[in-house]
């Protein structure tokens, strides 16, 4: 494994590795050490950054948010998508990447339709080939369908729209076949307004109104890719 041993999420905070299940920053510090990153003072820097940004990480759920995020980041390190130093640096500069793993119910219309805020870094469901066979990409991986089944026991999730793994935002899920058919017609007739917000760093090599192929691999893992435009991109 690149950068030293990678700690499984189930081991973080146990058997003397972490500082206890109620110590979020102790568990994060243990993960930093497990990744093998040399980051003196990194945990203190992360804590200061979290305070400046409103304390979202300190207020997060260790079980539902921080531990799953650490497992996800451990997977990236194991896949050599990022080096231990790069991953640790990103966590220090962006503390909120270590929380916000739980989908949130934002709206509900009777027993027919719900709107859920899907977090980034989460799939809607497992591909058909994996259902009943190969499990999650990392053992603690959850999906939007997992959340739905836990929230509405015994019901089948019928997604009306989907978002990519890396994209966060609102998803509509029907709780009955009739509502799913109705929503499908609205989407087909383009009677649903969808808005996307993107955070852009820099400028594309071509004009903003011209499309380009994204071929530079910023971060790749097994099944998940992050690509950006480079100076050599063409239309």
């Amino acid at each position: 494994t690149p950068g030293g041993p990678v700690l499984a999420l189930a081991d973080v905070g146990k058997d003397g590795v972490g500082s206890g299940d109620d110590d979020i920053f102790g568990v994060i510090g243990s993960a930093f050490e497990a990744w093998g990153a040399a980051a003196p003072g990194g945990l203190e820097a992360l804590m200061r950054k979290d305070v400046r940004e409103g304390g979202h990480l300190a207020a997060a759920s260790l079980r539902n948010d921080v531990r799953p995020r650490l497992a996800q980041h451990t997977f990236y390190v194991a896949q050599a998508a990022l080096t231990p130093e790069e991953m640790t640096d990103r966590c220090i500069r962006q503390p909120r990447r270590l929380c916000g793993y739980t989908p949130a119910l934002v709206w509900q219309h009777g027993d027919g339709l719900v709107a859920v805020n899907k977090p980034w870094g989460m799939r809607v469901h497992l591909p058909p080939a994996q259902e009943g066979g190969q499990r999650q990409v990392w053992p603690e991986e959850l999906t939007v369908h997992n959340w739905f089944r836990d929230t509405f026991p015994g019901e089948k999730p019928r997604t009306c729209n989907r978002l990519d793994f890396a994209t966060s935002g609102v998803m509509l899920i029907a709780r009955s076949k009739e509502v799913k058919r109705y929503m499908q017609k609205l989407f087909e007739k383009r009677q649903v307004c969808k808005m996307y917000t993107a955070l852009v760093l820099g400028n594309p090599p071509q004009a903003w109104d011209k499309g380009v192929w994204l071929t530079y691999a910023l971060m790749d893992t097994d099944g998940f890719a992050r690509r950006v435009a480079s100076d050599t991109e063409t239309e």
Side-chain angles (χ1 to χ4, degrees):
T1 302
V6 175
L7 194 66
L9 181 67
D11 297 327
V12 176
K14 296 182 178 180
D15 299 326
V17 177
S19 301
D21 283 350
D22 59 344
D23 184 357
I24 286 178
F25 292 103
V27 172
I28 294 172
S30 297
F32 285 178
E33 293 178 5
W35 296 341
L43 186 61
E44 291 75 12
L46 179 145
M47 295 171 69
R48 290 194 298 270
K49 184 65 178 295
D50 183 53
V51 170
R52 290 197 300 270
E53 293 185 349
H56 296 280
L57 182 54
S61 167
L62 179 60
R63 177 178 180 271
N64 298 324
D65 294 311
V66 178
R67 285 184 178 277
R69 283 294 185 205
L70 287 174
Q72 183 178 35
H73 289 44
T74 296
F75 166 76
Y76 292 150
V77 173
Q79 290 282 313
L82 291 172
T83 67
E85 288 73 19
E86 290 171 334
M87 181 61 77
T88 302
D89 179 66
R90 279 161 172 75
C91 292
I92 293 171
R93 291 189 290 108
Q94 302 169 341
R96 291 181 70 176
R97 71 182 295 127
L98 292 177
C99 55
Y101 189 72
T102 307
L105 179 66
V106 295
W107 177 82
Q108 181 173 351
H109 183 70
D111 295 329
L113 190 67
V114 297
V116 56
N117 183 19
K118 184 191 91 66
W120 68 271
M122 176 176 285
R123 291 190 283 181
V124 176
H125 60 80
L126 296 180
Q130 291 183 304
E131 296 286 359
Q134 180 182 349
R135 297 183 63 80
Q136 302 95 321
V137 175
W138 58 91
E140 300 81 4
E141 181 188 13
L142 296 176
T143 67
V144 175
H145 280 195
N146 291 137
W147 169 88
F148 182 91
R149 293 188 179 102
D150 287 343
T151 306
F152 302 100
E155 296 190 24
K156 178 181 178 180
R158 297 175 171 86
T159 52
C160 303
N161 67 305
R162 296 184 182 180
L163 295 174
D164 291 338
F165 170 81
T167 305
S168 62
V170 175
M171 288 185 55
L172 297 176
I173 304 178
R175 298 175 61 184
S176 68
K177 294 180 180 179
E178 294 75 18
V179 173
K180 175 64 181 293
R181 285 194 293 266
Y182 177 77
M183 294 304 301
Q184 280 182 323
K185 292 180 181 179
L186 293 182
F187 277 98
E188 290 171 359
K189 296 178 180 179
R190 300 185 181 277
Q191 294 181 333
V192 177
C193 177
K194 295 186 290 184
M195 295 183 291
Y196 292 86
T197 301
L199 179 63
V200 179
L201 177 64
N203 298 286
Q206 306 291 333
W208 280 98
D209 58 350
K210 293 184 178 180
V212 295
W213 291 102
L214 304 182
T215 58
Y216 176 73
L218 176 67
M219 186 175 85
D220 275 319
T221 62
D222 184 15
F224 304 112
R226 305 287 183 278
R227 299 186 181 277
V228 296
S230 67
D231 293 338
T232 60
E233 300 291 354
T234 59
E235 294 185 51

